[in-house]
Amino acid sequence: MYKKRLFLILITNLLLSLSIVLYQSQPVKAVENSLTIKYYVPFTFKSDVYENTNGAVFAGRTIKVNFSNGGESPSSVVAYLSKEGFWQQLTVERFSKNYLITTLPLEILTGEYTLNVIISSFLGNQSYRTPINIEGYTQEELNELARSHGDGGGAAVEPLDDSPGVRLDCGGCYNNAVIATHPQDSQNILVVGYLNQRTDIEQSKDVFRVSHDGGQHWLSGSHPDGNFSYYNYPDALGITNPNPNRPEEANSFLISGQILDQVIGTLDNPKFGGGLFKGFVGQSEFPGTIFQAADVNQTATAEFIRLAYHPQAIPENKPKIYITAGTFDSQQNSTNSLFISKDQGQNFTKKPIDPHFDLNPDHDPDIWTVRSVDTSPDGTLRAAVLSRFDLTQDDPTKPNKAKFYLLRFDSNDDLRTLTTDKQGNTSGIEMQQGGYPDIRIPFARLAYATTGFLSKIAWNVWVGPDIAVNKIQGHKHFGRVYVVWAEPSEVIYRPLPSQFQQTNYGYNYDVYLAFSDDDGANWSTKQKVNDDPECTVSPTPENPTPPNPCPDQVFPSTALDKDGNLHITFLDRREDPAAAKYDVYYTFVRDSPDKELEFSLNKRINQNHISINIGGIGFDPGVYLKMVSPTGHIVYPCKTVNNSPTDACVAGGGPQFLRGDSNNDRKVDISDAISTLGWLFLGKDEPRCLDAADANDDGKVDISDAIFELGFLFLGGKAIPPPNKDTGLGPDPTDDPLGCNL
């Protein structure tokens, strides 16, 4: 099989090279200026608004080249750059009947070129060409790139990514990575990532990693289905099914994602649908079913897939699976769709999510792709979307703004309404940012280098929103909806072509948190999550890369734990915003009994800086990350090699404590036993970390813990279980109901 595949590859390359030679010696009459060049972005970023208008295309960037081929699907496509005395073939990563995807060579020099495309189809050969102005690298800029991307030092706070077994050895799975822990057994953790489109199909079944010991050791997961391969846009959940008639499915993992249908598509001409994978806790195989079949006429029929589950959804009080996805019809019209399963994912009902709502009688608000989903306590769906408003304004001095909205669905899975306040006005969280023509374009500068190439490159960042709903029975904030997102302090409008790759970008992104106690009708005042110092340095047209620029915090994700506390992660550039690097930061938000919310200090998770890859698809580390689970486990890009992440790492970002340290003074002595006894019998304050007060690790705090601790300290008794003074600070390795509110 391998020799046959190698032979086919050699023959294909020979034919492609021959077609170029023939074209150069006896050229078919080319259609001039017939190609439209855009930066390539996934469906979720609405590629029609990303056409480069600043006059230059940058080397190292992936582009989408549109052409007209009479509706016929090509059998082969060749693309190359040329100018006098020069030609270079480009790797066509994929193509369809009206476009191709290719990446411009990273080291290409600045200059004016001709982009040539030769298309072979049933109707014969057709040639297209158009001028292209490429801004590329000089050797000095390549050296600058290498210096900027070096694995910097920078002391990390309790660095965790060098712990044994934490690296997953899964290659590109760091991209679009998600993590899930099982709600009844936090020792079982699942990580799913993105499969690079140029990877062999057989390897696409090896994109899952599962741990059965709390993240210390990891196994490769797989799915056995032969007709399709897992590909992209993952989401994952650990679920518990209370149905006594199906005990074998009581504890499982669900994974949703885009699939490559191998019956009608290949890596060269892919046809994508949507799949749901399911595996039982304790196993590592995840068989799949299809919720959206691939379309032979389309490249992608399911993109940007989000997943939610409720074990007892009304009205039947039975388990229900929800999947939202951007989908296409045969005419390439895109919609948002909802897929519902009431039989554990065997069959699905599809419903459209109408993307238009009358927020203002003068215009249509154009609500965008669903970005995050969860269920309400009764099991009905909640979905977060981002919408712009004031669309009729063309005056850049009156910039558009945007709001996040919570879509509420009823028990029949129909969209009830956009959330409204007590006066009946449409309610959402307004982002205090401006920009024209579309403030949702999530661009930031790759780096704020004062010279050279890097400062002109756009970094495509994820801004959210990400939602989490409190479904804890008896909790004081039962039903509360939390949302986290990133937004810039300002939008730099239409920088000069010599200054930036795109037509606008956000500056000084921060991460914010807000909540609603009335199902989205009213929202709390937003609170900033990142705790780096306030920054007021602004770029100007005359000084687009100011010294000491403000850092960005982007790619936020959140999860709610069993005690109602929030775990929040984000990518952070506070340590060196002038370089093309980022770090992973974590914050624990305690739902305090006597205060509204208590934020921990931000904690850096990774040890070495992580480089931003500008030579790949341009969406490193992905258009979406779900980096944190309800148990505080974190998955993040790591292991930088050759200016790019090459792996995913997992760390425990949750509350770190020493067992026996009842008074939280970071040591274990007689005062801790006194603290525990004072709370139990004298009315003293409850320990903030009951897991720490549980000295004997039996899952409860009582007098036996003080006795056990005193025996260890003074009578040579048994050692205190981990995390202890020998293992150092750490999360609780034991699944119990206590919790730790540090």
Side-chain angles (χ1 to χ4, degrees), residues 463-507:
V463 299
D466 197 23
I467 61 171
V469 182
N470 186 324
K471 297 182 281 289
I472 306 169
Q473 292 288 342
H475 195 278
K476 67 172 183 175
H477 290 139
F478 178 71
R480 172 175 283 185
V481 182
Y482 292 95
V483 58
V484 297
W485 72 96
E487 68 173 82
S489 62
E490 58 183 307
V491 170
I492 308 303
Y493 169 72
R494 289 188 175 176
L496 297 175
S498 61
Q499 295 176 353
F500 194 61
Q501 172 184 359
Q502 287 287 355
T503 54
N504 59 11
Y505 68 95
Y507 177 75

Side-chain angles (χ1 to χ4, degrees), residues 1-15:
M1 183 67 181
Y2 173 77
K3 291 183 178 179
K4 181 179 179 180
R5 181 177 296 171
L6 180 61
F7 175 75
L8 290 174
I9 291 173
L10 290 173
I11 291 298
T12 301
N13 288 338
L14 178 61
L15 291 175

Side-chain angles (χ1 to χ4, degrees), residues 341-405:
S341 176
K342 300 179 182 180
D343 58 5
Q344 295 296 315
Q346 297 303 307
N347 298 280
F348 285 88
T349 301
K350 179 180 177 180
K351 288 190 173 186
I353 303 176
D354 187 352
H356 303 294
F357 296 89
D358 190 15
L359 302 187
N360 185 310
D362 296 329
H363 65 267
D364 192 353
D366 181 27
I367 286 191
W368 226 15
T369 308
V370 172
R371 296 188 160 211
S372 179
V373 294
D374 200 352
T375 59
S376 67
D378 64 11
T380 53
L381 184 66
R382 298 296 179 264
V385 295
L386 173 60
S387 173
R388 62 182 178 180
F389 65 99
D390 293 339
L391 299 187
T392 58
Q393 297 181 2
D394 288 330
D395 184 352
T397 64
K398 299 177 180 179
N400 297 321
K401 295 182 180 179
K403 283 189 177 183
F404 294 135
Y405 290 98

Side-chain angles (χ1 to χ4, degrees), residues 232-286:
N232 200 4
Y233 301 112
D235 206 355
L237 294 170
I239 67 169
T240 295
N241 178 8
N243 188 348
N245 297 323
R246 305 184 74 169
E248 74 279 2
E249 295 187 348
N251 297 308
S252 307
F253 283 110
L254 293 180
I255 307 163
S256 61
Q258 190 182 71
I259 57 173
L260 170 65
D261 191 329
Q262 295 174 219
V263 176
I264 62 173
T266 65
L267 285 176
D268 291 328
N269 190 16
K271 305 297 179 183
F272 298 121
L276 178 75
F277 305 87
K278 184 176 181 181
F280 303 141
V281 164
Q283 300 181 8
S284 57
E285 191 170 89
F286 301 90

Side-chain angles (χ1 to χ4, degrees), residues 150-157 161 459 551-555 569-577 579-586 603-612 621 625 627 634 636-637 640:
D151 263 354
V157 179
D161 67 350
W459 186 27
D552 293 319
Q553 284 83 24
V554 287
F555 289 88
T569 52
F570 49 91
L571 303 187
D572 194 299
R573 300 182 65 186
R574 71 182 68 182
E575 294 194 28
D576 193 358
K581 306 172 186 176
Y582 59 82
D583 297 298
V584 181
Y585 274 73
Y586 165 85
K603 182 173 77 171
R604 177 175 155 182
I605 298 299
N606 57 300
Q607 183 174 22
N608 294 323
H609 296 308
I610 304 161
S611 297
I612 304 171
L625 289 175
M627 291 189 288
I634 299 168
Y636 60 95
T640 296

Side-chain angles (χ1 to χ4, degrees), residues 37 55-57 63 65 81-82 90 104 111-116 130-134:
I37 301 169
V57 181
I63 59 174
V65 182
L81 294 172
S82 66
L90 303 176
L104 298 173
E112 295 182 356
Y113 298 81
T114 298
L115 176 61
N116 307 270
T130 197
I132 181 172
N133 182 23
I134 301 178

